[in-house]
Amino acid sequence: MKFAGSHILSISQFERAEIEHIFEVADRMAPYAHRQRITRVLDGAILGNMFFEPSTRTRISFGCAFNLLGGEVRETTGFEATSLAKGESLYDTARVLSGYSDVIVMRHPAGGSVAEFAAASRVPVINGGDGANEHPSQALLDLYTIRKELQHQGRDGIDGLHIAMIGDLRYGRTVHSLSKLLCLFSNIQLTLISPQELRMPAEIVDALRSAGHTVVESDTLEQSLAHVDIAYATRIQEERFATLDEALLYRGRYRLNKKIYTQFCQPNTVIMHPLPRDSRAEANELDNDLNDNPNLAIFRQADNGVLVRMALFALILDVVEQVDSHARDVNWYTERRFE
Ligand code: NCD
């Protein structure tokens, strides 16, 4: 695909070489994301950050990524703050907002809505999560994190990995996009751990198998974690169920904690979670007692989101080769707080 001017709506639009290219560009963003250097390459550009569902990481890290490239961010959160609450269509909203912005990131509760918005937009649109459908930038940062964590362990490559995905695989858009992304690689073993009713959609399992991967579905956590390189936990997506009572049937069903990790995982199994983890006592799918485990990658994963999102903006706005020539050292004292 041609990056310049393109929408990023689904992981399915990428080929493997393009993923590698995004990761190379993300690596080059490290001095800026880590506050050693400042670049003003997007000076004058405006990001329209439109979030119609709750978000902490995705919204702030897209905004920071744009700021770190020198651009400005205009943001709106929640339907009630926009004219969508007055009955305005996505088409009209897109026509209008794309006059105000150079690129738009949008999150919306309905699957397909961001693509509908993009079709009417005059500028590139990035899908920041559309309902239970997809979350492509999250999948990119997840895979980027997997690659980095393995490099840190002296291992190379994604091919041949064993990955466990745990929790709400039916409604979790991050695991949908990550699975689609893994289809571009070879010989992956996937263990999909979920309640029967919350299994990964059949078409995604079929796609994984068609890509030559081995997929095992299970509804028990402990034994399924043996031999996995990556344990990727997820939150029950309570907001996607018809009723809260239905969602509550699954709250707290799987709890990855120190005891289970120590007993069943390998000593170097990397622990991931797209976050937010549901830390209420009744849920607690990823326990705080793992916070000191060096293999807990969740906060490095969140940090990596900035690098990957900077890379996406630089590619879409076609400034990758200009980033370094618009740069200087930072003025202020910066602690080395990035790993
Ligand atoms: C996820 C999402 O919004 O899909 N969060 C995120 O973007 N990192 C996962 C979730 O909400 O459970």
Side-chain angles (χ1 to χ4, degrees):
M1 78 178 253
K2 177 178 75 61
F3 280 105
S6 289
H7 303 304
I8 296 188
L9 301 174
S10 165
I11 273 297
S12 311
Q13 72 192 72
F14 295 111
E15 290 175 13
R16 180 165 171 164
E18 289 151 357
I19 302 298
E20 309 283 1
H21 186 47
I22 294 169
F23 291 174
E24 279 162 29
V25 177
D27 285 342
R28 288 166 59 182
M29 298 300 143
Y32 307 103
H34 298 168
R35 316 298 201 275
Q36 291 145 5
R37 303 269 293 157
I38 287 176
T39 177
R40 307 304 304 164
V41 71
L42 289 186
D43 194 13
I46 295 176
L47 164 67
N49 219 16
M50 321 286 306
F51 277 71
F52 301 114
E53 269 194 334
S55 173
T56 301
R57 274 146 294 274
T58 307
R59 180 167 63 85
I60 307 293
S61 67
F62 264 120
C64 285
F66 208 75
N67 287 151
L68 287 165
L69 289 166
E72 305 225 8
V73 182
R74 287 278 170 272
E75 194 160 89
T76 184
T77 52
F79 287 109
E80 64 289 350
T82 70
S83 288
L84 288 167
K86 298 180 182 173
E88 189 167 48
S89 65
L90 281 175
Y91 176 90
D92 285 4
T93 308
R95 295 289 297 181
V96 171
L97 290 172
S98 55
Y100 303 159
S101 322
D102 298 284
V103 54
I104 292 173
V105 176
M106 183 165 149
R107 169 173 287 188
H108 191 285
S113 55
V114 182
E116 184 187 336
F117 181 93
S121 170
R122 293 174 274 164
V123 298
V125 175
I126 302 178
N127 182 358
D130 61 325
N133 185 34
E134 278 226 40
H135 194 345
S137 66
Q138 179 72 39
L140 292 168
L141 79 88
D142 287 343
L143 196 68
Y144 183 75
T145 301
I146 291 172
R147 196 190 68 151
K148 261 188 155 169
E149 294 293 315
L150 294 174
Q151 277 170 355
H152 193 68
Q153 294 182 1
R155 302 165 64 190
D156 207 13
I158 307 292
D159 298 324
L161 279 184
H162 186 172
I163 302 178
M165 296 181 182
I166 308 151
D168 183 352
L169 308 185
R170 176 178 181 185
Y171 295 119
R173 56 192 170 199
T174 71
V175 285
H176 298 167
S177 287
L178 182 56
S179 299
K180 290 181 187 176
L181 182 49
L182 291 171
C183 289
L184 299 177
F185 293 80
S186 330
N187 193 28
I188 311 252
Q189 222 179 311
L190 280 130
T191 302
L192 304 178
I193 305 163
S194 71
Q196 283 290 332
E197 302 80 5
L198 303 184
R199 284 162 67 168
M200 182 71 82
E203 63 275 16
I204 298 183
V205 175
D206 289 347
L208 286 163
R209 292 206 169 110
S210 304
H213 302 330
T214 308
V215 182
V216 174
E217 294 181 272
S218 163
D219 60 7
T220 54
L221 178 65
E222 287 81 354
Q223 278 75 16
S224 308
L225 289 174
H227 313 300
V228 306
D229 299 298
I230 311 288
Y232 187 108
T234 66
R235 178 181 67 87
I236 300 299
Q237 307 283 295
E238 295 183 358
E239 65 276 32
R240 312 250 179 258
F241 288 77
T243 63
L244 181 60
D245 280 349
E246 193 193 341
L248 289 181
L249 296 174
Y250 309 105
R251 195 186 266 183
R253 177 76 66 93
Y254 304 114
R255 296 160 181 262
L256 181 54
N257 57 27
K258 192 173 183 173
K259 185 163 177 282
I260 290 176
Y261 183 88
T262 311
Q263 195 176 343
F264 295 98
C265 291
Q266 306 194 86
N268 61 353
T269 297
V270 177
I271 308 162
M272 296 178 63
H273 191 302
L275 301 179
R277 52 178 159 170
D278 187 341
S279 293
R280 287 171 289 193
E282 324 83 79
N284 216 15
E285 71 263 359
L286 180 56
D287 203 293
N288 282 325
D289 67 3
L290 284 163
N291 283 358
D292 293 330
N293 186 314
N295 296 309
L296 184 79
I298 56 176
F299 300 116
R300 294 189 288 276
Q301 191 180 352
D303 280 351
N304 287 335
V306 173
L307 297 169
V308 168
R309 290 172 173 135
M310 288 178 79
L312 292 178
F313 287 133
L315 286 159
I316 289 175
L317 296 174
D318 202 15
V319 292
V320 172
E321 297 310 325
Q322 297 172 60
V323 169
D324 295 336
S325 52
H326 288 75
R328 61 173 171 80
D329 289 342
V330 299
N331 294 328
W332 67 88
Y333 170 72
T334 57
E335 287 179 60
R336 295 197 56 79
R337 63 178 192 269
F338 295 98
E339 295 172 57

